[in-house]
Structures are given as structure tokens and as C-alpha cells.
Amino acid sequence: MLQADTPLRYVKGIGPRRAEKLEASGVETVEDLLYVLPFRWEDRRAFATVAELGLLQRESTLEVEVASSRLIRTRKRGFTIFEAVLEDRSGQITAVWYNQPYLARVFVAGRRAVVFGRAAISRYKKRLVLENPDYELLEEEDREGIHTGRIVPVYRKLGELSSRMLRVIQHRVLEGLGERALAETVPPDVGPPEGRIARLEALRQTHFPPPQTRLDDLAERRTAAQRQLAFEEIFLLQLALALRRHGLRQQRRGTAYELTDALRTKLGRLLPFKLTAAQRRVLKEIGRDLESTHPMNRLLQGDVGSGKTIVALLTMLVAVENGFQAALMVPTEILAEQHYRTLSSILAVEGISYRMAVLTGSLRAAARRRVLTSVRTGQADIVVGTHALFEAGVEFRKLGLVVVDEQHRFGVGQRRALQAKGARCDLLVMTATPIPRSLALAVYGDLDLSVIDEMPPGRQPVETRAVPYDDQEKVYSWLERRLEKGSQAFIVLPLIEESEKVAAASIDRRGEQLARRLAAHSPAVVHGRTPPEERRRVLGRFSAGAVRVLIATTVVEVGL
């Protein structure tokens, strides 16, 4: 009897050679194979007659008898056509299979079968035929086969195993497993008790759904069996992340910072405005992390304009006041320069002196050397930069805190590469992407979550409208009226140059057209290939109001 850990080489239909190739795909055991799930299902329950085929115009299931068959070898070398004349009480139809000569031994006169396919006009026969139908040979009046007469699973090809072969093997495995072959992974007291299905039964019903199952429910993944497997997957993911976080905290000791009343007063002098209640709540959560001996791993979520940057600055200054350096990593040079200017202006308070540096890929050699020296010697307390921060040549004297803005633009490995430049780094990652709490915990389960859910007073409300592309003329007419009243505008296009592969507007064509149309309103163009000095000049003029319309790619997605 098969067990969950039975190697695939012992499964009939796979064997050692195929098993070796499947192992390269990470499918090694019977249990691994069972989690190769169908990507769709076909309803082959309803039977039609031969006479109805031309009228149905859809895939149909037929119960037929083979009247005759023949194998045709064509002039094209290696190309064969196998024909079988199939009949029932209503008439006859020819089924055609290409390059499957072995079927001559299968479809012999007098044999009964169930076939599934769509009737179409053949390019060879110039008449109605079934081309490459799926089939099931009937033995002893059996109409409950694997490939027909039921809801049938359809799989993506796995190694050398076609969907049909996988269907046979999965059916064979599910039939050969004992009821206790698969241990339950979700404890009985976890999750809703109602509708609980054993793991093996959930897999059976997902591969080969019961006759009463609705096809729409399968397609939307909302059957009880699919929900059970989804819950199991989420549970195991959360368990793995919780164990990982627990392990990290046990293995790594963080730095316990001191947050004295004197330090709080000193940092409070930096603020030209009053923090919102949400910002104060989030800072308390971060403060508890920083005072702990465990390393901080926290995700800070908040809409654009909610005040994440000031929270990040205050967090970095706590690290600096405790004798450490802090690094703020952002995805674009525009955002790095913006943060550098913004933070520098906030820190320009008499009697308070913090040293900042900015590190980007476009720095000239001499400037880059100066920045790297200041980072290595500790002269720079806070370093703002792009991906250049985690490059091999960047050395910190005493890095204690890493802050990552727009964190979804960076991979886990990139975050870790920057953290590795310090001995016991705390981590704060930020995002403006709205993530419901449950989804955030699922995706970032190794991070604690803080949310700034309040906007500072005086912020303008944001309106978002989606307009059909055919109505774009109305949009640009509305835009021109707003520009005439003194407004400014971004126009963001997805591409720099036109592409044959992507049907989207580009700077080199649509951008030029818009610049000509809006010439009266001082337009300018910026994209990823614009030289850094030119980009800074244009953005400075836009910020000052000299440029009224900025036509750009997503290089200005964040930070302006």
C-alpha cells in the first residue's frame, strides 16, 4: 500500500527515470505529487449523441462503438493520421488523432468507448470530425471512468507527464492510499469546526470532484475541499513565519536603546508641528521595540502624506543618540534626494547637530569617495541612499538601524544585505500601499505591523477617478482648464519608447504630442534616461512652479 512518503519511483506509471526528472522539480514523494493540483476542470458528465454534435458547438461526451479504423502514413516523414469511425444509434462520426499510431491497437472494430471533444470541420477531411478527442475504453458496462463521464481535472504538464497521464496516476495514487496515510497538519482546535474535511478527502475531492459539484465553484476555488486546502496552506505559512521570527529573536540579540525623558524632549524640539495621535501611537510601538533586547522587525504602513517620514526620522535619531548610525534606503535617486533635502531642513535647528549624507549610483567618483569615507569613519550619522547602500564597497562604522521606504520595491535579500553591514541591526520598513491587516500579516508575517491611520490636519483630500481611454479628450480639456486657473499637473506614461510587445503610451510619441498641445503651460519631460543633473534641474523648476506640466514615466512614482 502506498504511503505519503513513498518515493515516486515506486508508483506505477512513473518509474525511476521519470521520478529522477520529477525530483528536479521538487516533486519527490506521493504527498508532493498530490499537491500538483488541477488548474481547471471540464464537465464531462452530460452525454450527447452523434447526431447532436453539429448543433451543440461545444465539447461533448459520447458513448460509442468503433465501426472501423485505419492508420494513414502521410508523405510528410514521421507524420501519421489515425482515423476511427465511431457510431451510436443516431449516426456515425470520424475521430482523428495526429501522430499517435499506437491507437491502431486501441480502437479496434467492435470496441466500445466514451470520447470527449468538439466536432469541427477538418482541414484534411473537409467535413465534420472529432479532432484529438480524449477517450475512455468501456469494460463491463463501466461508465464511471477517469477521463469521461465525470468532472475531469486538467493539469499542466509535469516533466514528461501529460495532463492525461497525470490524471491516471493521481487517480491510481488516491485509490491506493489508506485512509490514515496522510497525517493532518492542522490541529482539530484550529480554524472553524464546521465543514472540516480530512486532508486526504479534501485532496480527493479537489482532484476528482463529487458529481454534485458546481463547475463555477471549482473555477472560483470556493468548494469546501479547496477552502480546506487553502486554510491548511495559510496556517502552515503563518506557522513557518512565526517559528522563523521566534528563532531569529532567540538566536539574535538586539541592541537595547535608552529612551530617556531628556532624549524625548530634545527630539521634540525638532518638530515644527504637533504629531497626530496615530503617529504618537506608532512611535510608542517602535519605542518598545528599540528598548527591547530583541531586534526590531516592523512594517510601518500609512497613506501618502500621513507622516511616515517624520516617524522614520525620529526612530533614526534614537539610534544616533545611542551611538549608532542609521541608513534610509529608497528605490529611486529622486526620492533619495527628496528625503535628504526634507530631513536636512527638519534637522536645521540651532543647537542640534546631526550629520547626513546621500549615496546614489550617479555620484561622481570624488563625491562618492567622500561619502564612503564619512560612512566608514562614522562622520555620517544618517545615510540616505538607493540600492548603492548595500553594494560591496560600502562600510559603516557602527550601523544600528535600517529603514526601507517603499519596501515592496526591494527584495528580502536586498534588505538583509544592508542589515548585514551592521552587527545587530534593527529594521523598519515602510509602505504607502494599502494592505488590509490580515493580508499584511500573511505576506509580512515575520514583521510586526504598525499603521498610521490618521492624516495630519490641513491635508487636502485625494480624489481618484478612472476614465475610459476613449474619453481621454475630455480629460485633457479638463486639464487645460485647470492649468489656466494656475494648477500644476503630472502626466505619467508607462514607457520611454514604443514597444511591439506592450501596447501602452510612450514618452517618445505620446509625450511629444502632449508637450506640443500643452506648450502654453511650460511643459517638461523627465524619465529614467534623463541625465541626473538635468533631472534635478527640471524637478527644481517644477517644484518652484516654473514648469507647470511634468510629463514623466514612473521614475516619479514616489517622492515628489
Side-chain angles (χ1 to χ4, degrees):
M1 182 174 287
L2 294 174
Q3 300 297 325
D5 59 354
T6 300
L8 290 181
R9 69 173 65 91
Y10 300 117
V11 175
K12 185 179 178 182
I14 296 182
R17 186 179 62 83
R18 282 178 174 162
E20 187 176 344
K21 292 186 177 181
L22 291 177
E23 285 177 11
S25 306
V27 182
E28 301 179 7
T29 66
V30 163
E31 186 172 5
D32 295 336
L33 183 68
L34 289 177
Y35 280 87
V36 178
L37 299 175
F39 74 96
R40 65 181 176 88
W41 293 260
E42 291 178 348
D43 190 348
R44 303 184 183 181
R45 291 171 292 188
F47 283 76
T49 65
V50 169
E52 293 171 330
L53 278 185
L55 303 174
L56 291 176
Q57 297 295 308
R58 59 173 169 78
E59 292 180 313
S60 306
T61 305
L62 307 171
E63 184 178 344
V64 295
E65 184 175 308
V66 181
S68 63
S69 63
R70 65 174 182 151
L71 180 63
I72 304 169
R73 300 189 184 279
T74 66
R75 294 179 180 179
K76 186 176 179 181
R77 187 173 180 179
F79 185 74
T80 62
I81 302 173
F82 175 71
E83 290 184 354
V85 178
L86 309 176
E87 63 181 8
D88 64 10
R89 292 180 180 177
S90 70
Q92 290 185 338
I93 190 166
T94 299
V96 177
W97 289 267
Y98 305 112
N99 280 338
Q100 299 182 55
Y102 66 89
L103 291 179
R105 300 188 300 273
V106 176
F107 282 86
V108 296
R111 176 161 278 179
R112 295 175 57 251
V114 172
V115 296
F116 175 81
R118 182 193 296 270
I121 302 296
S122 169
R123 59 185 182 276
Y124 294 105
K125 305 297 289 184
K126 306 302 181 186
R127 57 186 171 84
L128 202 65
V129 299
L130 282 171
E131 287 194 327
N132 289 309
D134 216 337
Y135 64 88
E136 188 95 42
L137 298 178
L138 288 180
E139 304 292 342
E140 299 178 359
E141 302 298 320
D142 174 25
R143 285 181 54 167
E144 296 299 318
I146 301 173
H147 309 293
T148 56
R150 67 189 309 157
I151 297 174
V152 172
V154 180
Y155 304 88
R156 290 186 173 87
K157 189 175 181 181
L158 179 66
E160 296 180 356
L161 300 177
S162 65
S163 179
R164 180 184 176 86
M165 295 165 69
L166 267 172
R167 197 178 301 138
V168 172
I169 292 170
Q170 295 281 28
H171 191 271
R172 186 178 293 147
V173 166
L174 287 165
E175 289 293 310
L177 279 172
E179 291 303 315
R180 298 183 181 275
L182 282 185
E184 297 300 321
T185 55
V186 180
D189 57 342
V190 173
E194 67 278 2
R196 178 65 68 89
I197 303 173
R199 188 157 71 111
L200 180 55
E201 183 57 28
L203 285 164
R204 280 197 183 112
Q205 292 186 21
T206 300
H207 284 284
F208 296 96
Q212 69 274 16
T213 308
R214 295 177 65 245
L215 217 61
D216 286 349
D217 288 342
L218 285 167
E220 296 295 329
R221 308 303 195 263
R222 57 180 180 231
T223 68
Q226 290 168 316
R227 287 178 178 273
Q228 179 73 27
L229 295 179
F231 182 84
E232 176 193 83
E233 186 174 345
I234 294 170
F235 171 77
L236 291 176
L237 171 64
Q238 289 299 302
L239 182 61
L241 291 170
L243 288 171
R244 176 170 175 254
R245 180 165 52 183
H246 178 74
L248 286 174
R249 288 182 172 177
Q250 293 300 314
Q251 294 167 17
R252 291 177 51 215
R253 288 186 63 80
T255 300
Y257 298 115
E258 291 187 9
L259 274 76
T260 62
D261 290 339
L263 175 56
R264 290 186 173 92
T265 301
K266 180 179 180 179
L267 297 183
R269 289 176 52 201
L270 295 171
L271 301 178
F273 48 79
K274 187 177 180 181
L275 294 174
T276 64
Q279 287 173 313
R280 292 196 299 273
R281 183 189 71 245
V282 164
L283 282 168
K284 285 182 181 179
E285 294 168 353
I286 292 172
R288 286 195 293 269
D289 286 348
L290 296 179
E291 290 177 311
S292 167
T293 57
H294 298 303
M296 177 172 71
N297 285 280
R298 185 165 290 276
L299 169 66
L300 175 59
Q301 178 191 324
D303 285 339
V304 173
S306 63
K308 297 188 297 299
T309 301
I310 195 65
V311 169
L313 175 61
L314 293 172
T315 304
M316 290 189 289
L317 292 179
V318 171
V320 171
E321 287 287 344
N322 279 266
F324 291 87
Q325 291 170 290
L328 171 58
M329 184 166 67
V330 298
T332 66
E333 292 192 2
I334 290 177
L335 186 53
E337 292 158 3
Q338 166 109 4
H339 272 320
Y340 178 74
R341 288 195 301 270
T342 301
L343 299 182
S344 296
S345 65
I346 294 174
L347 295 177
V349 176
E350 187 177 351
I352 293 180
S353 175
Y354 297 105
R355 299 161 299 185
M356 287 188 60
V358 60
L359 180 63
T360 63
S362 66
L363 281 182
R364 293 181 177 177
R368 181 179 176 82
R369 283 194 297 272
R370 285 195 299 272
V371 171
L372 292 179
T373 299
S374 69
V375 173
R376 186 178 64 254
T377 60
Q379 293 175 339
D381 298 315
I382 296 174
V383 187
V384 182
T386 57
H387 298 73
L389 284 173
F390 57 77
E391 291 177 355
V394 182
E395 297 178 10
F396 288 81
R397 185 185 68 83
K398 196 177 181 183
L399 181 62
L401 173 68
V402 169
V403 180
V404 181
D405 198 7
E406 296 295 322
Q407 73 82 35
H408 60 282
R409 302 278 290 272
F410 296 95
V412 174
Q414 293 174 324
R415 294 200 312 245
R416 287 180 181 166
L418 182 52
Q419 280 182 279
K421 293 184 179 293
R424 294 177 291 182
C425 278
D426 291 291
L427 176 68
L428 178 67
V429 299
M430 304 191 294
T431 183
T433 305
I435 308 171
R437 181 176 178 83
S438 57
L439 182 58
L441 290 175
V443 177
Y444 305 113
D446 58 340
L447 301 172
D448 296 308
L449 178 66
S450 292
V451 180
I452 301 180
D453 52 6
E454 177 185 4
M455 297 293 280
R459 294 284 183 180
Q460 291 184 335
V462 175
E463 285 187 30
T464 302
R465 301 183 187 180
V467 180
Y469 192 76
D470 291 343
D471 291 341
Q472 60 178 303
E473 181 56 38
K474 295 179 182 177
V475 173
Y476 290 116
S477 296
W478 171 85
L479 177 61
E480 287 173 314
R481 291 194 297 273
R482 293 294 300 267
L483 291 170
E484 288 167 0
K485 294 179 180 179
S487 293
Q488 287 178 283
F490 292 99
I491 300 176
V492 181
L493 304 175
L495 301 177
I496 298 176
E497 298 175 343
E498 283 195 307
S499 169
E500 295 180 358
K501 297 180 180 179
V502 181
S506 63
I507 288 285
D508 67 347
R509 184 169 181 178
R510 186 65 180 147
E512 290 179 2
Q513 294 172 353
L514 290 170
R516 287 195 297 270
R517 172 171 181 165
L518 303 172
H521 304 287
S522 305
V525 176
V526 165
H527 51 74
R529 296 179 193 168
T530 306
E533 290 299 325
E534 172 68 9
R535 193 161 59 203
R536 279 191 285 270
R537 187 185 66 80
V538 170
L539 294 178
R541 296 185 67 233
F542 182 68
S543 180
V547 169
R548 303 279 303 288
V549 181
L550 189 64
I551 303 169
T553 58
T554 52
V555 71
V556 294
E557 179 184 354
V558 290
L560 288 178

